[in-house]
Amino acid sequence: MTGVPEKGSSRTLLNDMSDMVMVVSENERLRRCMNDILSITALPAVWSGGNVNDIGRALLDALSAILDVDFLLLRIEKHGDQPDILERLCSAEVSNSAVENLIATLGKSVGDWGHQAQMDWGASSYRLATEKLGVHGNIGVLVAGSRLPSFPSEQDRLVLHVAANQAAVAINEAFRVREDARAAAAREHNKIVDAIPVMAWSTLPEGWADFFNGHFLTYLGMTAEQAAGWGWTTALHPDDAGPLQSVWMQLLASGTAGEAEARLRRWDGEYRWFLFRANPVYGDDGSVVRWYGTNTDIDDRRRIEEELRRSAALMAQAQRLTVTGSVWWRPATGEIFWSDEAYRVAGHPIGTAPTVEMMLDRCHPDDLPIVAEFITGAVRQGQNVDLEHRLIMPDGATKYVHVVLQNIGTDPTDPEFIGAVADITERKIAEENLRRSDVLLSEGQRISRTGTFSWKVETDEITFSEELNRIFGFESGGQVDFDRIIQRVYEEDLPLLATKMADVRQGGDNPDYDIRLFVEGQVKHVRVVGRIVKHLDGTTECIGAVQDVSAQRIAELARDKLRSELAQLARVMSLSTMAASIAHEVNQPLSGIIMNASTCLRMLSEAPPNVEGAVETARRTIRDGNRASEVIVRLRNLFKRGVATVEPLDLNEAIREVLGLLATDLQRGRIALLAELSNPLPLIVGDRVQLQQVIMNLLRNSIDAMTEVAQPERGILVRTTVENGESLVIVEDHGSGLKTADTERLFDAFHTTKPNGMGIGLSVSRSIIEAHGGRIWAESNPSGGAIFGFSLPIDRDGSNEGPVAEPN
Amino acid sequence: MMKAQQPLVSVVDDDESVREALPDLIRIFGFDVRAFSSAAEFLGSEWVKKTDCLVLDVAMPEMSGPELQEELVKRGETIPIVFITAHKDENERIPLLRSGAVACLFKPFSDVALQEALDRAFS
């Protein structure tokens, strides 16, 4: 028993003496026990605030002082971890290995430990006393062992019991305090993690997400359970899920930190861009134990980047389209920046370091002094530059550029310019062309006596061109309105103008019409054309031209007068040439009358009078008188009319009448006339006498042509047909034919092939036919001679509103 | 035998009214008369040789008066001819007279003018 504490030896002595000293009063023992218990119950005051191990050690210290034991053992169950085992060896015979053996003997589970047991170990036998801490020993177990056979006494048991209870309460409290501290720390941690303005997360080594901070979950609108594992990936933008996952897989495989950008869907459905950053945490063996990561909202940055990129593209495009380059220039340092388009405008390869020399060496020699002056002003005084000048490009072409430099520097001695250089060649050329076409237009208007106008129909705003002002006798550049226009319009034509204006107001064009003006005492004839232009803003503009056709009209009037004079002359001519046939026509019955009358007289004066013969001759006289009268009627029809009469008429009938008049001429020329008259022939509208004049003209020409040549067969064919809605009259002969290839000239006035002709007949014929809306032509007859023909439009509706013929 | 009879005047004219009126008048003058409507009809008749005087229209279809005159000359017939014409054209008349016509009368002519012409033919 060497090494036994002094107190122990006194107690051993006491025990040895126990049997002998029974006299030691029960009171003394009780008093000692009470003291022991009191000292144990005072322990909690020492333990307050202490940790579990301190409590355990203090308990064992106190018990070893009170009890006569060889060892003490305190096992404290911990939450989730290995239990703490505290031991106190109070005798030299007891070793650590003995305690370990004891623990092995007792078993792992505290609940199995018996309340009282005996343990043999080596030569010694130990008696054990066990007290559980807490219900079913869930806090721990206190074991005391002694070789004394009396152990444990009732007092020992009591002390152990109280000590175990005290320790249980204290340890429990210590546990609670420790738990509270841990929870507070966790709360504090979570608070921090939740408060940082990034989304934080962690995953297991294989990528299984096991933690999301509140910010992340709030953003996703998910619960931690929903987001756990791979649940959160459902919020990835479909376009980004693949790329992000492949980056993440690479990181997981390589075990290195990395980042990627992807869009995440917010709880409200909006996607925002995030930068995902993942950092691995390594364990002792170098393998990844966890991944920690953050997501940073970079949506605004992405948006700005996108907008920047877009506006840069737009800028470049705009520069390209407007052929305008940007320039930045700091003369003090010689720094110059050109945009790509600036290089293109200047004709230098993109990327060459720009210099002032490069700016000047393209300059047109004539413009160099002024450009150099501006540059000097810019460098020395920081003056702004705004000028247009020419460049000579390497291929010799001339370019016009507009250069603007604006000093944005704050220090006058260190100007800093930003500006633009624009290629304005096209504009310059367009300006030049515009100027030239303006000149051409106004010159053209002057020469053609044509003015133009614009009339904004809604506002009655009217603009006249220079020439139109001249036509109207308005001063140049003055305000034009309808009042002033109406004052100039010939009074009789005002209703016409009103009608035409009303047409325009209703949205109709004005196809050309003629109207008269009264300007400075003179009547002017003008022709007006107006076209409607509908503008995008819904307004209507009438744009038109006004041509002064006075000179033309005067010439037309003169021509009409000449034509009518010619027609008159032709009529006289044809009368004189017809005089013979008229005389013949009239003389024939007249001679009959005279002969019969003479015979009658002589028969009556015979003796005896031949009354029978006289009656016969008188009857013949009357008959011949009637014949003469018929001829007169026909002739009167031909001559009585001075004014053109328009009526529906049958061309066949008109031809038959002419043939009747020409019968003698035909007879005398011994010409066989064949008439192939289409039956029925639709009516045409016209002046019978004028058209008969034309027919007579053609037939007479044919007759004349036949007499000029010795032809065994002298025949004229007159045909009427209907073709393409026109009635055709064709006269074919086998006479001398056309002596010119230019058949049109035949119809010119004073063109003649006849020795005695005046060349008027065909020209008058043409004016008559054209006045009837028809046409007249001549061609060579393939079988010799000539073919003349004319066509007239058929009177379709049978009305009398045919063309008005007025060659007279 | 023929001379014992009245002299024969042949009328050639395509105008029927002339062929009706003229013979009656000539008969009153004391001549025998035959009327033909064309030169061909006359030439083809038996009366060419018997005709003492020809009253001939100038303008006729087929063969005209002057052409008939030429034909007669060709045949050796020397019948005195009195031309009658409705065309009052002096330019036509002169060549006719030059070619041997007795007279050339413009229609309408008087009975006296005709009688004078016939008298001249038979003088």
Side-chain angles (χ1 to χ4, degrees), chain A residues 522-725:
Chain A
Q522 273 188 307
V523 174
K524 280 191 180 176
H525 296 263
V526 294
R527 176 162 296 167
V528 186
V529 182
R531 289 275 177 273
I532 294 291
V533 178
K534 296 268 185 207
H535 291 297
L536 289 176
D537 61 3
T539 61
T540 308
E541 188 177 2
C542 178
I543 293 172
V546 177
Q547 187 181 19
D548 184 349
V549 292
S550 302
Q552 212 175 315
R553 193 46 44 84
I554 288 163
E556 278 170 11
L557 288 174
R559 190 197 63 201
D560 288 349
K561 188 158 168 274
L562 183 64
R563 184 181 283 171
S564 112
E565 281 169 2
L566 278 173
Q568 189 55 35
L569 185 56
R571 180 171 277 200
V572 171
M573 292 293 290
S574 81
L575 281 182
S576 88
T577 53
M578 276 168 66
S581 38
I582 291 163
H584 189 262
E585 284 292 308
V586 177
N587 283 347
Q588 208 83 307
L590 216 51
S591 9
I593 290 166
I594 288 166
M595 273 185 277
N596 283 314
S598 306
T599 313
C600 182
L601 273 176
R602 281 176 189 263
M603 282 178 172
L604 288 175
S605 43
E606 277 173 8
N610 178 0
V611 176
E612 203 182 318
V615 168
E616 176 58 29
T617 52
R619 191 177 289 129
R620 278 191 240 137
T621 306
I622 292 165
R623 187 198 66 193
D624 288 350
N626 286 335
R627 275 179 62 190
S629 163
E630 282 170 28
V631 171
I632 299 299
V633 167
R634 260 190 277 164
L635 288 172
R636 201 170 52 199
N637 276 343
L638 197 53
F639 298 117
K640 74 174 177 188
R641 291 184 188 144
V643 182
T645 312
V646 177
E647 58 188 355
L649 65 92
D650 180 353
L651 271 176
N652 286 347
E653 204 178 294
I655 289 169
R656 278 190 212 104
E657 282 181 12
V658 173
L659 293 179
L661 285 173
L662 287 174
T664 315
D665 286 313
L666 292 166
Q667 216 167 45
R668 286 208 315 154
R670 273 161 305 133
I671 294 161
L673 190 133
L674 182 62
E676 289 179 358
L677 303 182
S678 162
N679 191 24
L681 188 69
L683 296 185
I684 58 104
V685 167
D687 182 286
R688 170 186 293 262
V689 175
Q690 285 182 359
L691 294 175
Q692 284 181 325
Q693 235 178 309
V694 174
I695 296 164
M696 184 169 283
N697 241 318
L698 298 185
L699 285 170
R700 194 172 293 287
N701 281 341
S702 285
I703 292 168
D704 291 347
M706 302 280 259
T707 53
E708 283 171 31
V709 290
Q711 282 271 359
E713 260 185 66
R714 294 179 167 182
I716 295 175
L717 172 64
V718 183
R719 289 192 292 125
T720 55
T721 56
V722 179
E723 256 178 38
N724 303 326

Side-chain angles (χ1 to χ4, degrees), chain B residues 41-111:
Chain B
E41 187 189 348
F42 172 67
L43 287 172
S45 73
E46 53 183 311
W47 303 103
V48 178
K49 298 279 182 197
K50 296 168 187 171
T51 298
D52 298 300
C53 181
L54 195 59
V55 175
L56 184 56
D57 188 20
V58 174
M60 286 187 295
E62 310 287 314
M63 190 181 277
S64 68
E67 282 166 346
L68 175 57
Q69 183 187 23
E70 266 179 56
E71 179 63 26
L72 289 173
V73 171
K74 268 190 214 162
R75 296 188 183 188
E77 302 289 349
T78 53
I79 309 169
I81 298 173
V82 174
F83 279 108
I84 54 173
T85 177
H87 274 277
K88 190 163 186 172
D89 192 342
E90 291 292 336
N91 295 337
E92 277 189 37
R93 185 183 184 183
I94 291 157
L96 293 175
L97 293 176
R98 279 200 189 134
S99 60
V102 176
C104 183
L105 303 178
F106 293 119
K107 295 178 188 177
F109 45 82
S110 68
D111 50 350

Side-chain angles (χ1 to χ4, degrees), chain A residues 323-339:
Chain A
V323 206
T324 303
S326 302
V327 176
W328 178 86
W329 177 34
R330 193 167 170 197
T333 59
E335 286 173 282
I336 299 175
F337 165 80
W338 283 2
S339 73

Side-chain angles (χ1 to χ4, degrees), chain A residues 374-396:
Chain A
F374 267 93
I375 296 292
T376 309
V379 172
R380 294 203 182 142
Q381 279 104 36
Q383 285 170 352
N384 292 338
V385 175
D386 186 344
L387 86 158
E388 293 181 5
H389 68 88
R390 286 163 293 173
L391 301 181
I392 300 286
M393 303 313 284
D395 62 1

